[in-house]
Amino acid sequence: MKDIIQIDHLDKRFGDIRAVQDLSFRVRQGELFAFLGVNGAGKSTTINILCGQLPKDGGSVVIDGQDLDRDADAIKRGLGVVFQTSALDAPLTVADNLESRAALYGITGAAYRKRLSELAELLDFGDLLRRTLGRLSGGQRRRIDIARALFHRPKILILDEPTTGLDPQTRRTIWNVIAGLRRSEHMTVFLTTHYMEEAAEADYVVIIDSGRIAARGTPLELKNTYTGDYITLYGASEEEVRSLGRDYETRKGAYRLSVPDTGTATGLILKHPEVFRDYEITKGKMDDVFLAVTGKTLEGGNGK
């Protein structure tokens, strides 16, 4: 699969502040790419550069074979962007909002009505078309924001913290729709999120800290590199757990031990079968990875 986004040595300054520093990475076509960092790490700056909303100070950006310096308008036509805050007009109805945005891409008349019907069914907002955007709930507005971004069938969908503050049902609906589009249209998704369970589902992850890449890899690679495994022991006494000579913490009705890897866990179990009468082994979570890499935590749901 080809690289649909190629970033090389990207730099951006705001006065004395280097918001993005020598940033280089690739995004493969059709993948879910997670771009993680705390607020102020450089995520939104990078996205604004990709979208042509902010000039870069150095480096190169190539999207779908087109150089941002020469083909910015063509690149923009291939992007769908869902920003942290809605880009729609609160006083207008849902239908009027979407019709005006569709017209910017030359989608009018029968083509507009057909696409509107498709998206209304996909995102379940057919009953909201005549309501003004300002009267919708946060979850309803977010579904309309995503419909706006999808209207012109973009090759790349950029989601800047798309589900922050939404209820679990709406988050699940949104992700089911995106997963379906990735399968049916081979759409690439560029995601920033504070929910580590969303990042855990990504094909590839880049963690950025103070404008620089701090870590990169698949979720499994990152977990194996930056976290260990955990053994949760049930039905064992604290004396038995202490005899294993490992750091542990008390959980409700259980004890959890930290081990560097699965091999160590296996050796421990084979050596002390009388203690491991009832247990489970789990890998560290993306929250653990992020903390290990940056020394910081992200607000959001518990990550896988």
Side-chain angles (χ1 to χ4, degrees):
M1 214 54 77
K2 72 172 184 177
D3 293 331
I4 196 167
I5 299 177
Q6 303 171 53
I7 310 294
D8 287 298
H9 308 295
L10 186 65
D11 275 290
K12 180 62 184 177
R13 292 178 179 268
F14 296 101
D16 294 332
I17 299 173
R18 295 190 67 187
V20 174
Q21 306 181 52
D22 196 28
L23 204 62
S24 298
F25 61 85
R26 300 289 186 269
V27 179
R28 305 286 279 173
Q29 184 177 11
E31 77 178 358
L32 172 57
F33 177 93
F35 193 51
L36 307 181
V38 297
N39 290 337
K43 306 187 306 300
S44 293
T45 297
T46 303
I47 287 175
N48 285 332
I49 291 172
L50 295 183
C51 297
Q53 292 192 323
L54 192 66
K56 56 186 174 59
D57 293 328
S60 66
V61 175
V62 177
I63 298 178
D64 198 21
Q66 298 168 311
D67 191 296
L68 183 63
D69 290 335
R70 296 190 299 269
D71 305 305
D73 289 341
I75 287 173
K76 290 176 186 178
R77 287 193 292 271
L79 300 179
V81 187
V82 178
F83 296 104
Q84 293 181 34
T85 55
S86 179
L88 298 174
D89 297 314
L92 298 181
T93 66
V94 169
D96 288 342
N97 263 294
L98 293 178
E99 185 173 15
S100 64
R101 294 319 192 272
L104 297 176
Y105 293 96
I107 305 171
T108 59
Y112 160 72
R113 291 189 294 273
K114 181 175 185 295
R115 185 59 173 155
L116 178 64
S117 177
E118 292 171 349
L119 291 170
E121 181 177 358
L122 192 65
L123 287 158
D124 190 25
F125 62 82
D127 59 335
L128 304 177
L129 290 172
R130 295 304 161 195
R131 292 176 62 180
T132 59
L133 197 79
R135 296 178 65 86
L136 302 184
S137 69
Q140 291 168 334
R141 283 196 301 272
R142 185 52 83 195
R143 279 185 277 153
I144 309 307
D145 280 323
I146 291 173
R148 173 197 54 78
L150 293 174
F151 225 96
H152 60 299
R153 301 183 187 276
K155 289 186 177 182
I156 302 170
L157 180 63
I158 297 177
L159 301 173
D160 194 3
E161 298 183 21
T163 60
T164 299
L166 300 186
D167 62 273
Q169 182 178 351
T170 301
R171 288 173 60 202
R172 184 165 56 249
T173 297
I174 288 172
W175 280 111
N176 285 343
V177 168
I178 291 169
L181 290 171
R182 290 183 62 220
R183 287 192 301 270
S184 63
E185 301 184 11
H186 209 53
M187 185 176 66
T188 304
V189 177
F190 187 108
L191 169 72
T192 77
T193 181
H194 280 182
Y195 291 105
M196 290 296 97
E197 67 268 31
E198 295 178 349
E201 299 301 320
D203 298 299
Y204 199 80
V205 177
V206 165
I207 299 175
I208 184 173
D209 189 29
S210 299
R212 295 181 179 273
I213 291 179
R216 67 178 85 204
T218 67
L220 181 58
E221 289 169 346
L222 291 172
K223 290 175 186 179
N224 285 339
T225 301
Y226 294 101
T227 73
D229 288 5
Y230 298 100
I231 309 172
T232 304
L233 270 169
Y234 303 97
S237 68
E238 187 164 7
E239 184 179 356
E240 288 177 316
V241 174
R242 195 181 299 115
S243 72
L244 299 174
R246 291 280 172 181
D247 292 336
Y248 68 90
E249 56 186 274
T250 303
R251 295 293 178 92
K252 188 175 182 180
Y255 297 94
R256 192 174 84 155
L257 287 73
S258 300
V259 290
D261 50 48
T262 305
T264 302
T266 302
L268 201 60
I269 292 164
L270 293 175
K271 187 176 180 180
H272 301 279
E274 73 285 353
V275 178
F276 292 89
R277 297 180 293 273
D278 187 7
Y279 66 91
E280 61 182 352
I281 303 175
T282 56
K283 285 199 171 294
K285 298 180 178 182
M286 286 300 295
D287 285 317
D288 302 314
V289 170
F290 192 88
L291 180 61
V293 169
T294 68
K296 304 163 188 171
T297 59
L298 279 175
E299 296 181 0
N302 292 330
K304 294 180 182 176

